[in-house]
Structures are given as C-alpha cells and as structure tokens.
Amino acid sequence: MWRHSWFRTLIGAVSLLLAPVPPAVAQEQVDVALVLAVDVSRSMSTEELQIQRRGYAAAISSPEVIRAIGMGVNGRIALMMFEWANENHAREIVPWSIIETQPDARAFADRILADTTFGQRRTSISGAIRHASALLADVPYKASRLVIDISGDGPNNQGTPVTLERDAALARGHVINGLPLMTRGGVGFQFNIPDLDDYYRHCVTGGPASFVLPVVEWAQFPDAVRRKLILEIGGWIPVGPARVIPAQITFGPPYDCMVGEKIWQRLRRQYFWDP
C-alpha cells in the first residue's frame, strides 16, 4: 500500500512539472510613452500656473493631437503628468493612462483641470529628469519610444548638475524635449536668464529627434504645447518654424550649464551673507 501511495505521489509531481505554464499577461503596445513634467516653481505666478494647466488640458484634448495619435502604428499612446520644483517635490497629477480616443483625452484633461497647484521653492530640473526617467523605466506598457517632455521658466539651481541626469536618461534610451518658458512673472524673476532656450538646448534636452520649443508669451502657450505633443507623438524631427530648435545642434561656444547654481549662490551672498 505504501508503494502505491508513493507511486501516485510521483505521478502527481511529474504531472505538475509537465503541465503547461499559463502565458504571462502581455503588455499593451503603444506608439510612445510620454511623461509630461510641469514646472511649478515660485518663479511662476499663480495666474501663469493656471494658464499652463489650462494650456496642457486644451492641447491634449485637441482634434489635432487626437488625429496625430490615430496616425501611429498602434493608434494609442501612454501619457502621464507630474509637477516638479525642488529636488524633493515631484507630485503626480495624472497617472499613466492610455490615450486612444477623444473621450480618453478629455478624461485626462479633466483630471488636469480638477487638480490644484501651489508654487514651490527652488528649481531642480535634474530632479525632474531623474523622476521622469524612473517613471519611464517602469512604464506598464510596451512602448516604441520613451519621451520626457519638460517645461520650465528658469535654469537648474538645486540638486545634481542637470547634465549628469540628462546623460543618465539618454543612456537609458530616453528622449528629452524642452519647453522653455521665456516669460516674466512670479516672485523668483531674478533667476530668469535671457537665453533659456539655449540653456535647454545645451544642458537639458537630448536624444533622437529631440528639440526645444520656446514660449516667449503666455498667449502662445496652448499652441506651443499642441505642436510639441504632435511632434512627440509622431516622433518627427522638427522642421519649418525657426523657433522649434533641434536639440542636436551643438555648434557655437561652450555653454555654462551651471549658470542657475551660480545665480543662486550670488543671491545668497547678496541677501544673506553680506553685512
């Protein structure tokens, strides 16, 4: 009897080993996984923060962006948005979402508009890139391209030097595009630099088909975001309007990518250390 029991146990174990393994759940395929990283530092006024939020909502739900999504191989993208300021502030506004139809886009836009933003101290573009790159590394979809869309109105002035985080993201295969906001307003206007578009081109952006699209007036913002999304969704190299600057251009004299940190140190000496 003991032999029969042992034999049945052995047969059961062999059956378990030979049983077919259920296939893993396949990840949904998307044309691009796109992280929207939105600056909420105090160098932007409350009104500007609201313009920015409404501009993103309008662009994402626009017919032109929906049409661009539909032209992709898979006809869908993965999108998420978070706000950033100092190196410890990265707050999710909308989690990873599939955008395939107008209702998908409208739902995403509604969540943007329903959220409330309060300006935060300091500007850590490097922290924003690091956070966005980590999100792309764990994106729950299978994406043909991994893109960080980062907007901001001043240079990095806190945390790791921005070029180090940029280079780390590019080494992971991530593309970084920039939307420098060359406007004036907010309490931190003293951190603004006149050539923020050049700063983004030299120090922030990079990767295949990457580009910089400057905004010099807030009235331009919704249209700029819409154009930027269309380029990112299609993976197209920007051509035409001179204000859309391919990030790969590197000619000209060397650029000081620590300019923001130097401004911060100068202001600290001026306001806190000098007698």
Side-chain angles (χ1 to χ4, degrees):
M1 184 172 179
W2 176 84
R3 289 181 180 177
H4 290 302
S5 175
W6 178 86
F7 184 72
R8 284 196 298 270
T9 301
L10 178 62
I11 292 297
V14 171
S15 298
L16 286 174
L17 290 173
L18 296 178
V21 178
V25 177
Q27 288 183 310
E28 189 165 0
Q29 181 75 47
V30 296
D31 293 309
V32 61
L34 176 58
V35 175
L36 302 178
V38 182
D39 182 10
V40 296
S41 59
R42 287 183 183 171
S43 54
M44 296 174 64
S45 67
T46 302
E47 180 184 5
E48 289 171 341
L49 291 174
Q50 290 303 314
I51 293 172
Q52 179 174 244
R53 191 172 288 269
R54 291 194 298 267
Y56 272 106
I60 290 165
S61 58
S62 68
E64 295 88 348
V65 167
I66 301 302
R67 190 178 307 118
I69 293 172
M71 292 173 63
V73 173
N74 300 286
R76 69 182 71 90
I77 68 170
L79 188 66
M80 74 87 60
M81 174 183 280
F82 75 92
E83 65 175 30
W84 62 274
N86 59 67
E87 63 180 340
N88 297 314
H89 183 79
R91 186 177 70 89
E92 182 180 278
I93 298 174
V94 187
W96 281 116
S97 308
I98 292 289
I99 309 297
E100 185 172 9
T101 65
Q102 180 68 46
D104 295 336
R106 186 66 259 171
F108 195 101
D110 287 344
R111 293 191 68 166
I112 294 174
L113 295 174
D115 192 78
T116 301
T117 290
F118 299 97
Q120 303 290 324
R121 296 180 64 251
R122 305 297 295 271
T123 300
S124 182
I125 301 175
S126 58
I129 292 175
R130 181 171 61 251
H131 185 72
S133 190
L135 290 168
L136 287 177
D138 293 329
V139 63
Y141 306 104
K142 188 176 181 181
S144 302
R145 289 176 291 113
L146 303 171
V147 180
I148 299 169
D149 176 323
I150 188 161
S151 65
D153 73 340
N156 194 75
N157 63 38
Q158 187 193 40
T160 308
V162 66
T163 52
L164 296 182
E165 295 296 346
R166 177 201 60 191
D167 293 347
L170 299 186
R172 285 178 158 183
H174 303 166
V175 174
I176 307 174
N177 297 321
L179 189 74
L181 307 175
M182 303 174 69
T183 55
R184 296 293 180 268
V187 298
F189 64 91
Q190 64 268 37
F191 290 103
N192 294 140
I193 58 175
D195 60 344
L196 188 63
D197 50 352
D198 282 335
Y199 175 85
Y200 263 69
R201 180 166 62 84
H202 285 278
C203 310
V204 178
T205 56
S210 58
F211 62 93
V212 173
L213 203 167
V215 174
V216 295
E217 296 179 3
W218 279 107
Q220 302 172 339
F221 187 80
D223 181 61
V225 174
R226 184 168 57 250
R227 291 171 60 203
K228 193 166 189 285
L229 289 174
I230 291 170
L231 289 169
E232 289 166 333
I233 290 166
W236 298 318
I237 297 175
V239 295
R243 296 301 295 170
V244 183
I245 309 166
Q248 297 91 332
I249 297 176
T250 57
F251 55 78
Y255 193 95
D256 182 6
C257 291
M258 297 293 290
V259 59
E261 288 84 348
K262 291 177 179 178
I263 291 173
W264 175 260
Q265 292 299 326
R266 174 173 55 79
L267 290 173
R268 281 187 61 85
R269 288 193 297 270
Q270 180 178 345
Y271 292 108
F272 298 104
W273 296 347
D274 285 351

